[in-house]
Amino acid sequence: MAAPAALNEDRNRRLADLLHGCAQGRQAAFQALYGQVSPQLFAILLRILKRKDLAEEALQDALLSVWRNAASYSADKGAPMTWI
């Protein structure tokens, strides 16, 4: 079984690749990124906002911002989920 640090590194690499794909305008990369990060982001937003409708709207806004600004992500400055 892979060590947790190796799994985290692999996930970071995959998310960084998907962000790069988003920066290139590849919709398939965005769909994959959405599938990877939306459950975790939604859970965080729901905990903060306490209302499902507000959490859904905030998730949509956040991921739209990710799509629009993906080119500004730099792996040198932090992990993908931190940037997202």
Side-chain angles (χ1 to χ4, degrees):
M1 178 174 226
L7 291 174
N8 193 39
E9 189 175 312
D10 185 50
R11 181 172 192 246
N12 284 343
R13 193 175 314 111
R14 281 193 325 269
L15 292 178
D17 288 345
L18 292 173
L19 283 168
H20 181 70
C22 290
Q24 295 175 332
R26 294 193 344 240
Q27 291 181 358
F30 181 72
Q31 285 179 314
L33 182 72
Y34 186 96
Q36 291 281 320
V37 303
S38 64
Q40 184 179 358
L41 291 179
F42 183 73
I44 292 167
L45 291 166
L46 190 57
R47 225 175 318 147
I48 293 168
L49 299 170
K50 308 282 192 238
R51 285 184 38 195
K52 184 180 177 188
D53 60 328
L54 294 178
E56 289 169 344
E57 187 174 339
L59 178 65
Q60 181 178 349
D61 289 346
L63 289 174
L64 183 57
S65 182
V66 167
W67 171 254
R68 290 180 178 157
N69 298 296
S72 70
Y73 171 70
S74 173
D76 298 342
K77 295 181 181 175
M81 281 302 289
T82 304
W83 182 84
I84 292 171

